[in-house]
CSV table of all heavy atoms in Angstrom, one decimal:
chain,number,residue,atom,x,y,z
A,1,ARG,N,19.4,-8.0,-14.7
A,1,ARG,CA,19.3,-6.6,-15.0
A,1,ARG,C,18.7,-5.8,-13.8
A,1,ARG,O,18.9,-4.6,-13.7
A,1,ARG,CB,18.5,-6.3,-16.3
A,1,ARG,CG,19.2,-6.8,-17.5
A,1,ARG,CD,18.3,-6.7,-18.8
A,1,ARG,NE,17.8,-5.3,-19.0
A,1,ARG,CZ,17.0,-5.0,-20.0
A,1,ARG,NH1,16.6,-5.9,-20.9
A,1,ARG,NH2,16.6,-3.8,-20.2
A,2,VAL,N,18.0,-6.5,-12.9
A,2,VAL,CA,17.4,-5.9,-11.7
A,2,VAL,C,18.5,-5.9,-10.6
A,2,VAL,O,18.8,-7.0,-10.1
A,2,VAL,CB,16.1,-6.5,-11.3
A,2,VAL,CG1,15.6,-6.0,-10.0
A,2,VAL,CG2,15.1,-6.4,-12.4
A,3,PHE,N,19.1,-4.8,-10.3
A,3,PHE,CA,20.2,-4.8,-9.3
A,3,PHE,C,19.7,-4.7,-7.9
A,3,PHE,O,20.5,-4.9,-7.0
A,3,PHE,CB,21.3,-3.8,-9.7
A,3,PHE,CG,20.9,-2.3,-9.5
A,3,PHE,CD1,20.9,-1.7,-8.3
A,3,PHE,CD2,20.5,-1.6,-10.6
A,3,PHE,CE1,20.6,-0.4,-8.1
A,3,PHE,CE2,20.2,-0.2,-10.5
A,3,PHE,CZ,20.2,0.4,-9.2
A,4,ALA,N,18.5,-4.3,-7.7
A,4,ALA,CA,17.9,-4.2,-6.3
A,4,ALA,C,16.4,-4.2,-6.3
A,4,ALA,O,15.8,-3.7,-7.3
A,4,ALA,CB,18.5,-3.0,-5.6
A,5,ILE,N,15.8,-4.6,-5.2
A,5,ILE,CA,14.3,-4.5,-5.1
A,5,ILE,C,14.0,-3.8,-3.8
A,5,ILE,O,14.5,-4.1,-2.7
A,5,ILE,CB,13.7,-5.9,-5.1
A,5,ILE,CG1,14.0,-6.7,-6.4
A,5,ILE,CG2,12.2,-5.9,-4.7
A,5,ILE,CD1,13.6,-8.1,-6.4
A,6,ILE,N,13.1,-2.8,-4.0
A,6,ILE,CA,12.6,-2.1,-2.8
A,6,ILE,C,11.1,-2.4,-2.8
A,6,ILE,O,10.4,-2.2,-3.8
A,6,ILE,CB,12.7,-0.6,-2.9
A,6,ILE,CG1,14.2,-0.2,-3.0
A,6,ILE,CG2,12.1,0.1,-1.7
A,6,ILE,CD1,14.6,0.5,-4.3
A,7,SER,N,10.6,-3.1,-1.8
A,7,SER,CA,9.2,-3.5,-1.7
A,7,SER,C,8.5,-2.7,-0.6
A,7,SER,O,8.9,-2.8,0.6
A,7,SER,CB,9.1,-5.0,-1.3
A,7,SER,OG,7.8,-5.4,-1.2
A,8,GLN,N,7.6,-1.9,-1.0
A,8,GLN,CA,6.8,-1.1,-0.1
A,8,GLN,C,5.4,-1.7,-0.1
A,8,GLN,O,4.6,-1.4,-1.0
A,8,GLN,CB,6.8,0.4,-0.5
A,8,GLN,CG,6.1,1.2,0.6
A,8,GLN,CD,4.7,1.7,0.2
A,8,GLN,OE1,4.6,2.5,-0.8
A,8,GLN,NE2,3.7,1.3,0.9
A,9,ASN,N,5.1,-2.6,0.9
A,9,ASN,CA,3.9,-3.3,0.9
A,9,ASN,C,3.6,-4.0,-0.4
A,9,ASN,O,2.5,-3.9,-0.9
A,9,ASN,CB,2.7,-2.3,1.3
A,9,ASN,CG,2.9,-1.7,2.7
A,9,ASN,OD1,3.8,-0.9,2.9
A,9,ASN,ND2,2.1,-2.1,3.7
A,10,GLY,N,4.7,-4.6,-0.9
A,10,GLY,CA,4.6,-5.3,-2.2
A,10,GLY,C,4.8,-6.8,-1.8
A,10,GLY,O,5.9,-7.2,-1.5
A,11,ASN,N,3.8,-7.6,-1.9
A,11,ASN,CA,3.7,-8.9,-1.4
A,11,ASN,C,4.2,-10.0,-2.4
A,11,ASN,O,4.0,-9.9,-3.6
A,11,ASN,CB,2.3,-9.2,-1.0
A,11,ASN,CG,2.3,-10.5,-0.1
A,11,ASN,OD1,2.9,-10.5,1.0
A,11,ASN,ND2,1.5,-11.4,-0.4
A,12,ALA,N,4.8,-11.0,-1.8
A,12,ALA,CA,5.3,-12.2,-2.6
A,12,ALA,C,5.1,-13.5,-1.8
A,12,ALA,O,5.7,-14.5,-2.1
A,12,ALA,CB,6.7,-12.0,-3.0
A,13,TYR,N,4.3,-13.4,-0.7
A,13,TYR,CA,4.1,-14.6,0.2
A,13,TYR,C,2.6,-14.7,0.6
A,13,TYR,O,2.0,-13.7,0.9
A,13,TYR,CB,5.0,-14.4,1.4
A,13,TYR,CG,6.5,-14.5,1.1
A,13,TYR,CD1,7.1,-13.3,0.7
A,13,TYR,CD2,7.2,-15.7,1.1
A,13,TYR,CE1,8.5,-13.3,0.4
A,13,TYR,CE2,8.5,-15.7,0.8
A,13,TYR,CZ,9.2,-14.5,0.4
A,13,TYR,OH,10.5,-14.6,0.1
A,14,THR,N,2.1,-15.9,0.7
A,14,THR,CA,0.7,-16.1,1.0
A,14,THR,C,0.4,-15.5,2.4
A,14,THR,O,-0.7,-15.0,2.7
A,14,THR,CB,0.3,-17.6,1.0
A,14,THR,OG1,1.2,-18.3,1.8
A,14,THR,CG2,0.4,-18.1,-0.4
A,15,GLU,N,1.4,-15.6,3.3
A,15,GLU,CA,1.1,-15.1,4.7
A,15,GLU,C,1.0,-13.6,4.7
A,15,GLU,O,0.6,-13.0,5.8
A,15,GLU,CB,2.2,-15.6,5.7
A,15,GLU,CG,3.6,-15.3,5.3
A,15,GLU,CD,4.3,-16.5,4.6
A,15,GLU,OE1,3.7,-16.9,3.6
A,15,GLU,OE2,5.3,-16.9,5.1
A,16,GLY,N,1.4,-12.9,3.7
A,16,GLY,CA,1.3,-11.5,3.6
A,16,GLY,C,-0.1,-11.0,3.2
A,16,GLY,O,-0.3,-9.8,3.2
A,17,LEU,N,-1.0,-11.9,2.8
A,17,LEU,CA,-2.3,-11.4,2.4
A,17,LEU,C,-3.3,-11.4,3.6
A,17,LEU,O,-3.5,-12.4,4.2
A,17,LEU,CB,-2.9,-12.4,1.4
A,17,LEU,CG,-2.1,-12.5,0.0
A,17,LEU,CD1,-2.7,-13.7,-0.8
A,17,LEU,CD2,-2.2,-11.2,-0.7
A,18,GLY,N,-3.7,-10.2,4.0
A,18,GLY,CA,-4.6,-10.1,5.1
A,18,GLY,C,-5.9,-10.9,4.9
A,18,GLY,O,-6.6,-10.7,3.9
A,19,LYS,N,-6.2,-11.7,5.8
A,19,LYS,CA,-7.3,-12.7,5.6
A,19,LYS,C,-8.7,-12.0,5.4
A,19,LYS,O,-9.4,-12.3,4.4
A,19,LYS,CB,-7.4,-13.6,6.8
A,19,LYS,CG,-8.5,-14.7,6.7
A,19,LYS,CD,-8.5,-15.6,7.9
A,19,LYS,CE,-9.6,-16.6,7.8
A,19,LYS,NZ,-9.6,-17.6,9.0
A,20,ASP,N,-9.0,-11.1,6.2
A,20,ASP,CA,-10.3,-10.4,6.1
A,20,ASP,C,-10.4,-9.5,4.9
A,20,ASP,O,-11.4,-9.5,4.1
A,20,ASP,CB,-10.6,-9.6,7.3
A,20,ASP,CG,-10.9,-10.5,8.6
A,20,ASP,OD1,-11.2,-11.6,8.4
A,20,ASP,OD2,-10.7,-10.0,9.7
A,21,ALA,N,-9.3,-8.7,4.6
A,21,ALA,CA,-9.3,-7.8,3.5
A,21,ALA,C,-9.4,-8.5,2.2
A,21,ALA,O,-10.0,-8.0,1.2
A,21,ALA,CB,-8.0,-7.0,3.6
A,22,TRP,N,-8.8,-9.7,2.1
A,22,TRP,CA,-8.8,-10.4,0.8
A,22,TRP,C,-10.0,-11.4,0.6
A,22,TRP,O,-10.1,-12.1,-0.4
A,22,TRP,CB,-7.5,-11.2,0.6
A,22,TRP,CG,-6.4,-10.2,0.2
A,22,TRP,CD1,-5.6,-9.6,1.0
A,22,TRP,CD2,-6.1,-9.9,-1.1
A,22,TRP,NE1,-4.7,-8.8,0.3
A,22,TRP,CE2,-5.0,-8.9,-1.0
A,22,TRP,CE3,-6.5,-10.2,-2.4
A,22,TRP,CZ2,-4.4,-8.4,-2.1
A,22,TRP,CZ3,-6.0,-9.6,-3.5
A,22,TRP,CH2,-4.9,-8.7,-3.4
A,23,ALA,N,-10.8,-11.5,1.7
A,23,ALA,CA,-12.0,-12.5,1.6
A,23,ALA,C,-12.9,-12.3,0.4
A,23,ALA,O,-13.2,-13.3,-0.3
A,23,ALA,CB,-12.8,-12.4,2.9
A,24,PRO,N,-13.3,-11.1,0.0
A,24,PRO,CA,-14.2,-10.9,-1.2
A,24,PRO,C,-13.5,-11.3,-2.5
A,24,PRO,O,-14.1,-11.9,-3.4
A,24,PRO,CB,-14.5,-9.4,-1.2
A,24,PRO,CG,-14.2,-8.9,0.2
A,24,PRO,CD,-13.1,-9.8,0.7
A,25,MET,N,-12.2,-11.0,-2.6
A,25,MET,CA,-11.4,-11.4,-3.8
A,25,MET,C,-11.3,-12.9,-3.9
A,25,MET,O,-11.5,-13.5,-4.9
A,25,MET,CB,-10.1,-10.7,-3.8
A,25,MET,CG,-10.1,-9.2,-4.1
A,25,MET,SD,-10.7,-8.2,-2.7
A,25,MET,CE,-9.2,-7.8,-1.9
A,26,ARG,N,-10.9,-13.6,-2.7
A,26,ARG,CA,-10.8,-15.0,-2.7
A,26,ARG,C,-12.1,-15.7,-3.1
A,26,ARG,O,-12.1,-16.7,-3.8
A,26,ARG,CB,-10.3,-15.5,-1.4
A,26,ARG,CG,-8.9,-15.1,-1.1
A,26,ARG,CD,-8.4,-15.8,0.2
A,26,ARG,NE,-7.1,-15.5,0.6
A,26,ARG,CZ,-6.0,-16.2,0.1
A,26,ARG,NH1,-6.2,-17.1,-0.8
A,26,ARG,NH2,-4.8,-15.8,0.4
A,27,LYS,N,-13.2,-15.1,-2.6
A,27,LYS,CA,-14.5,-15.7,-2.9
A,27,LYS,C,-14.8,-15.7,-4.4
A,27,LYS,O,-15.3,-16.6,-5.0
A,27,LYS,CB,-15.6,-14.9,-2.2
A,27,LYS,CG,-17.0,-15.4,-2.4
A,27,LYS,CD,-18.0,-14.6,-1.6
A,27,LYS,CE,-19.4,-15.2,-1.8
A,27,LYS,NZ,-20.4,-14.4,-1.0
A,28,TYR,N,-14.4,-14.6,-5.1
A,28,TYR,CA,-14.5,-14.5,-6.5
A,28,TYR,C,-13.6,-15.5,-7.3
A,28,TYR,O,-14.0,-16.1,-8.3
A,28,TYR,CB,-14.3,-13.1,-7.0
A,28,TYR,CG,-14.4,-12.8,-8.5
A,28,TYR,CD1,-15.5,-13.2,-9.2
A,28,TYR,CD2,-13.4,-12.2,-9.2
A,28,TYR,CE1,-15.7,-13.1,-10.5
A,28,TYR,CE2,-13.5,-12.1,-10.6
A,28,TYR,CZ,-14.6,-12.5,-11.2
A,28,TYR,OH,-14.7,-12.3,-12.6
A,29,TRP,N,-12.3,-15.6,-6.8
A,29,TRP,CA,-11.4,-16.5,-7.4
A,29,TRP,C,-12.0,-18.0,-7.4
A,29,TRP,O,-11.9,-18.7,-8.3
A,29,TRP,CB,-10.1,-16.5,-6.7
A,29,TRP,CG,-9.4,-15.2,-6.7
A,29,TRP,CD1,-9.6,-14.1,-7.4
A,29,TRP,CD2,-8.3,-14.9,-5.8
A,29,TRP,NE1,-8.8,-13.1,-7.1
A,29,TRP,CE2,-7.9,-13.5,-6.1
A,29,TRP,CE3,-7.6,-15.5,-4.8
A,29,TRP,CZ2,-6.9,-12.8,-5.5
A,29,TRP,CZ3,-6.5,-14.8,-4.2
A,29,TRP,CH2,-6.2,-13.5,-4.5
A,30,GLU,N,-12.5,-18.3,-6.2
A,30,GLU,CA,-13.0,-19.7,-6.0
A,30,GLU,C,-14.3,-20.0,-6.7
A,30,GLU,O,-14.6,-21.1,-7.1
A,30,GLU,CB,-13.1,-20.0,-4.5
A,30,GLU,CG,-11.8,-20.0,-3.8
A,30,GLU,CD,-12.0,-19.9,-2.3
A,30,GLU,OE1,-13.1,-19.9,-1.8
A,30,GLU,OE2,-10.9,-19.8,-1.6
A,31,ASN,N,-15.1,-18.9,-6.9
A,31,ASN,CA,-16.4,-19.0,-7.6
A,31,ASN,C,-16.7,-17.8,-8.4
A,31,ASN,O,-17.4,-16.9,-7.9
A,31,ASN,CB,-17.5,-19.2,-6.5
A,31,ASN,CG,-18.8,-19.6,-7.1
A,31,ASN,OD1,-18.9,-20.0,-8.2
A,31,ASN,ND2,-19.9,-19.5,-6.3
A,32,PRO,N,-16.2,-17.7,-9.6
A,32,PRO,CA,-16.2,-16.5,-10.4
A,32,PRO,C,-17.6,-16.3,-11.1
A,32,PRO,O,-17.7,-16.2,-12.3
A,32,PRO,CB,-15.1,-16.7,-11.4
A,32,PRO,CG,-15.1,-18.2,-11.6
A,32,PRO,CD,-15.3,-18.8,-10.3
A,33,THR,N,-18.6,-16.2,-10.2
A,33,THR,CA,-20.0,-15.9,-10.7
A,33,THR,C,-20.1,-14.4,-11.0
A,33,THR,O,-19.4,-13.5,-10.5
A,33,THR,CB,-21.0,-16.3,-9.7
A,33,THR,OG1,-20.9,-15.5,-8.6
A,33,THR,CG2,-20.9,-17.8,-9.4
A,34,LYS,N,-21.2,-14.0,-11.8
A,34,LYS,CA,-21.5,-12.6,-12.0
A,34,LYS,C,-21.8,-11.9,-10.7
A,34,LYS,O,-21.4,-10.8,-10.5
A,34,LYS,CB,-22.7,-12.5,-13.0
A,34,LYS,CG,-23.0,-11.1,-13.3
A,34,LYS,CD,-24.2,-11.0,-14.3
A,34,LYS,CE,-24.5,-9.6,-14.6
A,34,LYS,NZ,-25.7,-9.5,-15.6
A,35,GLU,N,-22.5,-12.6,-9.8
A,35,GLU,CA,-22.8,-12.0,-8.5
A,35,GLU,C,-21.6,-11.7,-7.7
A,35,GLU,O,-21.5,-10.6,-7.1
A,35,GLU,CB,-23.7,-13.0,-7.7
A,35,GLU,CG,-24.1,-12.4,-6.4
A,35,GLU,CD,-25.0,-13.4,-5.6
A,35,GLU,OE1,-25.1,-14.6,-6.0
A,35,GLU,OE2,-25.5,-13.0,-4.5
A,36,ASN,N,-20.6,-12.6,-7.7
A,36,ASN,CA,-19.4,-12.3,-6.9
A,36,ASN,C,-18.6,-11.3,-7.5
A,36,ASN,O,-17.9,-10.5,-6.9
A,36,ASN,CB,-18.6,-13.6,-6.7
A,36,ASN,CG,-19.3,-14.6,-5.8
A,36,ASN,OD1,-20.1,-14.2,-4.9
A,36,ASN,ND2,-18.9,-15.9,-5.8
A,37,ARG,N,-18.6,-11.2,-8.9
A,37,ARG,CA,-17.9,-10.2,-9.6
A,37,ARG,C,-18.5,-8.8,-9.3
A,37,ARG,O,-17.8,-7.8,-9.0
A,37,ARG,CB,-17.9,-10.5,-11.1
A,37,ARG,CG,-17.1,-9.4,-12.0
A,37,ARG,CD,-17.2,-9.9,-13.4
A,37,ARG,NE,-16.6,-8.9,-14.3
A,37,ARG,CZ,-15.3,-8.9,-14.8
A,37,ARG,NH1,-14.5,-9.9,-14.4
A,37,ARG,NH2,-14.9,-8.0,-15.6
A,38,GLU,N,-19.8,-8.7,-9.4
A,38,GLU,CA,-20.5,-7.4,-9.2
A,38,GLU,C,-20.3,-6.9,-7.8
A,38,GLU,O,-20.2,-5.7,-7.5
A,38,GLU,CB,-22.0,-7.6,-9.5
A,38,GLU,CG,-22.3,-7.7,-10.9
A,38,GLU,CD,-22.0,-6.5,-11.8
A,38,GLU,OE1,-22.4,-5.4,-11.3
A,38,GLU,OE2,-21.4,-6.6,-12.8
A,39,ALA,N,-20.2,-7.8,-6.8
A,39,ALA,CA,-20.0,-7.4,-5.4
A,39,ALA,C,-18.7,-6.7,-5.2
A,39,ALA,O,-18.6,-5.9,-4.3
A,39,ALA,CB,-20.0,-8.7,-4.5
A,40,LEU,N,-17.7,-7.0,-6.1
A,40,LEU,CA,-16.4,-6.3,-5.9
A,40,LEU,C,-16.4,-4.8,-6.3
A,40,LEU,O,-15.5,-4.1,-6.0
A,40,LEU,CB,-15.3,-7.1,-6.7
A,40,LEU,CG,-15.0,-8.5,-6.2
A,40,LEU,CD1,-14.2,-9.2,-7.2
A,40,LEU,CD2,-14.4,-8.5,-4.9
A,41,LYS,N,-17.5,-4.4,-7.0
A,41,LYS,CA,-17.5,-3.0,-7.4
A,41,LYS,C,-17.6,-2.1,-6.2
A,41,LYS,O,-17.3,-0.9,-6.3
A,41,LYS,CB,-18.7,-2.8,-8.3
A,41,LYS,CG,-18.6,-3.4,-9.7
A,41,LYS,CD,-19.8,-3.0,-10.6
A,41,LYS,CE,-19.5,-3.6,-12.0
A,41,LYS,NZ,-20.6,-3.3,-12.9
A,42,SER,N,-17.9,-2.6,-5.0
A,42,SER,CA,-17.9,-1.8,-3.8
A,42,SER,C,-16.4,-1.3,-3.5
A,42,SER,O,-16.3,-0.3,-2.7
A,42,SER,CB,-18.4,-2.6,-2.6
A,42,SER,OG,-17.6,-3.7,-2.3
A,43,LEU,N,-15.4,-1.9,-4.1
A,43,LEU,CA,-14.0,-1.5,-3.9
A,43,LEU,C,-13.7,-0.3,-4.6
A,43,LEU,O,-12.6,0.3,-4.4
A,43,LEU,CB,-13.1,-2.7,-4.3
A,43,LEU,CG,-13.2,-4.0,-3.5
A,43,LEU,CD1,-12.3,-5.0,-4.2
A,43,LEU,CD2,-12.9,-3.8,-2.1
A,44,PHE,N,-14.6,0.2,-5.5
A,44,PHE,CA,-14.2,1.3,-6.4
A,44,PHE,C,-14.9,2.6,-6.0
A,44,PHE,O,-14.9,3.6,-6.7
A,44,PHE,CB,-14.6,0.9,-7.9
A,44,PHE,CG,-14.1,-0.4,-8.3
A,44,PHE,CD1,-14.9,-1.1,-9.2
A,44,PHE,CD2,-13.0,-1.0,-7.9
A,44,PHE,CE1,-14.5,-2.4,-9.7
A,44,PHE,CE2,-12.5,-2.2,-8.3
A,44,PHE,CZ,-13.3,-2.9,-9.2
A,45,THR,N,-15.5,2.6,-4.8
A,45,THR,CA,-16.2,3.8,-4.4
A,45,THR,C,-15.2,4.8,-3.7
A,45,THR,O,-14.1,4.4,-3.3
A,45,THR,CB,-17.3,3.5,-3.4
A,45,THR,OG1,-16.6,2.9,-2.2
A,45,THR,CG2,-18.3,2.5,-4.0
A,46,PHE,N,-15.7,6.0,-3.5
A,46,PHE,CA,-14.9,7.0,-2.8
A,46,PHE,C,-14.5,6.6,-1.4
A,46,PHE,O,-13.4,6.7,-1.0
A,46,PHE,CB,-15.6,8.4,-2.8
A,46,PHE,CG,-14.9,9.4,-1.9
A,46,PHE,CD1,-13.9,10.2,-2.5
A,46,PHE,CD2,-15.3,9.6,-0.6
A,46,PHE,CE1,-13.2,11.1,-1.7
A,46,PHE,CE2,-14.7,10.6,0.2
A,46,PHE,CZ,-13.6,11.3,-0.4
A,47,GLU,N,-15.5,6.0,-0.7
A,47,GLU,CA,-15.3,5.6,0.7
A,47,GLU,C,-14.3,4.4,0.7
A,47,GLU,O,-13.4,4.4,1.7
A,47,GLU,CB,-16.6,5.2,1.3
A,47,GLU,CG,-17.5,6.3,1.7
A,47,GLU,CD,-16.8,7.4,2.6
A,47,GLU,OE1,-16.1,7.0,3.5
A,47,GLU,OE2,-17.0,8.6,2.4
C-alpha cells in the first residue's frame, strides 16, 4: 500500500546515527538506570 517513501533525515541504518549526538541515548539503552534516564531531561530544554 506504500507506493513511495520520502525520507528527510529519516534513518534506517546504524551508520546514520551520529556518534556524539546519540551517546547519551546509547548510555541509557545499555544501562537504563534512573540517573541515566534523568540525565536525558536536558534534551527537553529551550536551548
Side-chain angles (χ1 to χ4, degrees):
R1 292 172 59 181
V2 175
F3 70 82
I5 295 171
I6 301 115
S7 177
Q8 187 254 295
N9 298 69
N11 195 54
Y13 295 87
T14 55
E15 54 264 57
L17 298 172
K19 184 177 179 180
D20 292 339
W22 282 91
M25 286 75 92
R26 289 187 180 278
K27 183 177 180 181
Y28 179 54
W29 300 345
E30 294 165 4
N31 189 16
T33 64
K34 182 178 179 180
E35 180 182 8
N36 287 342
R37 182 179 174 94
E38 290 293 312
L40 294 172
K41 288 184 177 179
S42 63
L43 299 174
F44 312 148
T45 63
F46 174 82
E47 287 303 322

